[in-house]
Amino acid sequence: MVNSFDDSLIRTLSERVIHQAGQPGERSLDAIIDTEIARHSEALLGSGGFDGADEERISREVASSLSGLGPLQQFLDDPDVEEIWINAPDAIFVARLGVSQKVDVVLTAEEVRDLVERMLRPTGRRVDVSQPFVDASLADGSRVHVVIPDITKSHWSINIRKFSKRVRHLSDLVEREVLSAEAAE
């Protein structure tokens, strides 16, 4: 039974899903992921295999690694998270309901660069030594700001300010005491 995040397992399953996706026949990504997880779980039968919760969690993590933003996807999906900062591969923070906290996610420098590439690919923007910082939007409207060395000291720095789905009307701002009722009028 898998109780903690297992990078090696997720990477292996992701590679197998990519291989299966390249095979003839039309199958959805979810169907391929389910097949590979079931195959892996069967191989573990003697050691207890996965339980349903493990299979569901692993399925989400494999899907996020392939089509989402990997380990950051959980924070993008969390409606309470307002902002995500990567100050270094091992210094990742979120603001949840206005309170900043360091999270237990550690990336490599290469994974950070890969995530930035995934974020920027749909926008047509890039970041490199000739353009050491960039602003862009994610598909959900969240804003992304990336800065790389030599502007930063040693690591790529990323800030994602999520697009708020809870604030849609002026009355929402008044209710949160961000705007006075007079100003809203």
Side-chain angles (χ1 to χ4, degrees):
M1 175 168 352
V2 178
N3 291 321
S4 62
F5 184 82
D6 184 346
D7 288 331
S8 173
L9 172 62
I10 301 304
R11 193 173 12 262
T12 298
L13 287 171
S14 296
E15 289 168 3
R16 287 166 48 192
V17 168
I18 290 168
H19 176 73
Q20 287 298 316
Q23 301 300 313
E26 296 204 18
R27 294 171 51 205
S28 71
L29 180 62
D30 289 338
I32 296 170
I33 290 170
D34 290 345
T35 299
E36 287 304 317
I37 289 173
R39 185 175 295 151
H40 190 80
S41 187
E42 285 176 24
L44 295 175
L45 280 178
S47 65
F50 299 132
D51 65 23
D54 285 332
E55 285 189 13
E56 187 176 312
R57 178 184 56 78
I58 291 167
S59 177
R60 278 193 315 271
E61 290 175 7
V62 170
S64 290
S65 78
L66 294 172
S67 62
L69 291 179
L72 298 183
Q73 192 63 46
Q74 63 184 312
F75 306 117
L76 291 167
D77 293 341
D78 184 339
D80 292 336
V81 172
E82 301 153 342
E83 199 163 359
I84 304 164
W85 299 271
I86 299 177
N87 294 334
D90 61 346
I92 302 173
F93 300 84
V94 299
R96 187 175 274 121
L97 300 173
V99 178
S100 299
Q101 64 188 85
K102 188 172 191 224
V103 295
D104 290 334
V105 173
V106 176
L107 303 170
T108 65
E110 183 179 334
E111 288 171 321
V112 171
R113 288 189 296 276
D114 289 346
L115 286 171
V116 168
E117 185 177 319
R118 272 193 213 178
M119 288 184 241
L120 296 181
R121 188 177 300 130
T123 70
R125 296 180 183 236
R126 64 188 174 92
V127 63
D128 56 33
V129 280
S130 68
Q131 294 180 315
F133 54 89
V134 66
D135 289 307
S137 293
L138 297 178
D140 70 352
S142 297
R143 299 292 300 160
V144 177
H145 181 72
V146 180
V147 184
I148 64 171
D150 289 330
I151 301 298
T152 62
K153 188 172 180 176
S154 57
H155 298 287
W156 287 38
S157 178
I158 302 164
N159 175 264
I160 302 171
R161 189 166 291 173
K162 288 178 52 180
F163 182 76
S164 176
K165 293 176 176 73
R166 287 186 257 182
V167 178
R168 292 285 190 200
H169 305 285
L170 284 176
S171 60
D172 296 327
L173 295 173
V174 172
E175 183 179 312
R176 287 174 171 74
E177 299 179 357
V178 172
L179 186 66
S180 71
E182 296 80 31
E185 287 297 320

